[in-house]
Amino acid sequence: MVAHLHAAPPPPSSTPAGGRDALDLSGEAGGCVLLVGEAARPAVAEALLAEGFEPVRVEGMREALARLASSEALPRLVVIDAELPDGDGFSLCGLLRADAKAAHLPVLLVARHQEEFHRDLAAGVGADEYLVEPVDARDVAVLARLKAGRRGEEDVYDAHTGQLPLVHLVRALLSGVRSGRVILLEDTGSFTFRHGLVVDATFHGERGSLAFRRLLCFGAGGYTVTFGPELHRGTFSMDRPYLCEQVVPGLERFEALRVRGLPLAARLTVDFNRLARELPTLPEDVEQVVRLFDGRRTVRAMLLECRFPEALSYEAATRLFMLGVLVPAILVEERERARESAGPPRLFEPTSEPAPELMDEPGSDDAS
């Protein structure tokens, strides 16, 4: 039986803003991706083409080996069906690892059905990842982009959120069975993944699922992905379906607000007169958001301190700003400085006008 790579079509809502530019899989990350197996893979091929790669399909093991032997430039990635018409994907991966030329070539093995021994077998032949159908075409493109940033012979990869957003990386990592850790280089945060689950995360002093959600919202800059055993006890467990169904929609709302809403670096304070007028129309819980705007905190700092979900807090702050309850702190500071420069109020200073003359009392002339 031949295993086919059936790519699940990506839902429209998960397409990143900016399309291809959001992932920036072109340029240095471009190149050939070899797809080994009998079945046609239109969705995977289209996804790779859209991201700047050149997908090349071959039927089986012999053709794949012949193509690799005759090509001067190796492909960026090889995607191999677990079952091939003239062998199996595990054997082909083992042959690649035994060849000096292709020993460090990234290899993804894909099986129609998950088998318990497949994970150990894939690890034994040195596969970079083991996936089970249906495989999301976007995940293949993301893994191809990630593997392009390998550090020499180490199983460590460098990437940047500007080219490979963290949420896309996590979605792809959870489609496989590898373990490892992602560490931000320009921020304080990391998360650990193990056999298709996120099991731990830290971000700015927080730990657990809240830290993971905030890391996906605010984590930015360069990061490293290190594959290897992660044996320490986790603090939570999150699989790919939960990520896609429960977490990603909130992240998309958050990103939409960040694009067209309040700048995260803005410092806001409360107009209490306006708050008093609008208070009857506001939800009771809005006090949890209002009290954090003291003129010193930025919007980003407020979102990190508020216990509400980030998208909900961001929407509340945006609404309060539109109502005039929140105002830029710099405007209040400028008014205060203008008031101070004017000096104390001049309530008792004499005027420059002459004092009116006193009129004689009636009959004063007669009395004299």
Side-chain angles (χ1 to χ4, degrees):
M1 181 170 55
V2 177
H4 305 288
L5 181 58
H6 299 296
S13 62
S14 61
T15 302
R20 173 177 176 174
D21 293 336
L23 285 178
D24 191 24
L25 299 178
S26 58
E28 183 182 353
C32 168
V33 174
L34 188 63
L35 307 175
V36 185
E38 285 188 352
R41 300 171 176 81
V44 171
E46 290 174 8
L48 291 170
L49 277 171
E51 307 304 345
F53 293 98
E54 178 190 355
V56 176
R57 187 176 67 84
V58 296
E59 298 295 334
M61 179 186 298
R62 293 186 184 89
E63 189 177 350
L65 292 172
R67 183 175 183 87
L68 290 171
S70 62
S71 300
E72 293 185 5
L74 290 175
R76 290 285 189 177
L77 178 72
V78 181
V79 183
I80 309 175
D81 288 344
E83 299 181 46
L84 298 171
D86 56 352
D88 65 85
F90 299 97
S91 297
L92 176 55
C93 182
L95 290 173
L96 296 179
R97 291 293 176 255
D99 184 271
K101 179 181 177 182
H104 301 293
L105 187 61
V107 175
L108 305 186
L109 284 171
V110 182
R112 177 181 289 275
H113 304 292
Q114 183 168 347
E115 301 286 352
E116 286 299 324
F117 67 90
H118 275 180
R119 180 187 299 174
D120 294 333
L121 188 56
V125 296
D128 287 78
E129 191 56 272
Y130 167 73
L131 310 176
V132 179
E133 295 182 4
V135 174
D136 194 316
R138 298 165 302 169
D139 294 341
V140 176
V142 166
L143 291 172
R145 175 66 181 90
L146 176 65
K147 299 303 180 180
R150 185 168 187 164
R151 287 187 189 174
E153 299 181 2
E154 298 180 90
D155 206 4
V156 180
Y157 303 84
D158 296 312
H160 194 284
T161 56
Q163 288 75 45
L164 193 54
L166 288 172
V167 65
H168 300 152
L169 172 74
V170 176
R171 188 185 62 208
L173 292 175
L174 297 190
S175 68
V177 298
R178 296 288 302 277
S179 299
R181 178 175 296 187
V182 177
I183 301 176
L184 299 180
L185 301 178
E186 302 172 24
D187 215 333
T188 307
S190 66
F191 69 88
T192 303
F193 57 95
R194 183 165 57 231
H195 305 324
L197 299 170
V198 179
V199 296
D200 201 5
T202 61
F203 190 71
H204 283 264
E206 295 279 355
R207 186 179 182 187
S209 59
L210 176 62
F212 180 63
R213 198 178 65 218
R214 290 183 169 173
L215 183 147
L216 294 181
C217 282
F218 301 105
Y223 59 87
T224 62
V225 183
T226 303
F227 290 95
E230 288 290 342
L231 304 179
H232 75 281
R233 187 174 182 177
T235 55
F236 68 101
S237 179
M238 182 183 297
D239 60 11
R240 190 179 187 280
Y242 187 91
L243 173 79
C244 295
E245 296 168 10
Q246 302 296 325
V247 178
V248 170
L251 294 175
E252 291 175 343
R253 286 167 55 199
F254 182 88
E255 186 60 29
L257 286 166
R258 179 154 58 177
V259 170
R260 66 174 187 269
L262 291 170
L264 292 178
R267 289 189 303 113
L268 303 178
T269 191
V270 181
D271 184 329
F272 289 98
N273 291 330
R274 188 74 177 182
L275 176 62
R277 292 197 297 269
E278 298 291 345
L279 196 57
T281 67
L282 298 175
E284 293 182 3
D285 291 342
V286 79
E287 178 268 337
Q288 300 293 326
V289 175
V290 171
R291 67 181 180 83
L292 293 174
F293 285 105
D294 55 1
R296 297 187 298 273
R297 291 184 179 90
T298 62
V299 174
R300 185 180 191 271
M302 182 280 297
L303 294 173
L304 287 172
E305 291 187 44
C306 189
R307 309 311 292 181
F308 293 149
E310 293 74 21
L312 180 62
S313 302
Y314 208 168
E315 288 171 346
T318 302
R319 177 62 177 165
L320 291 169
F321 181 80
M322 294 174 64
L323 291 173
V325 174
L326 295 178
V327 296
I330 190 171
L331 296 181
V332 177
E333 292 168 358
E334 288 177 352
R335 286 201 296 265
E336 291 295 329
R337 285 195 295 267
R339 188 177 295 114
E340 291 173 1
S341 63
R346 303 170 67 179
L347 300 179
F348 305 105
E349 293 185 10
T351 62
S352 58
E353 297 179 2
E357 296 182 0
L358 296 176
M359 296 182 64
D360 295 334
E361 295 183 4
S364 59
D365 294 340
D366 296 339
S368 59

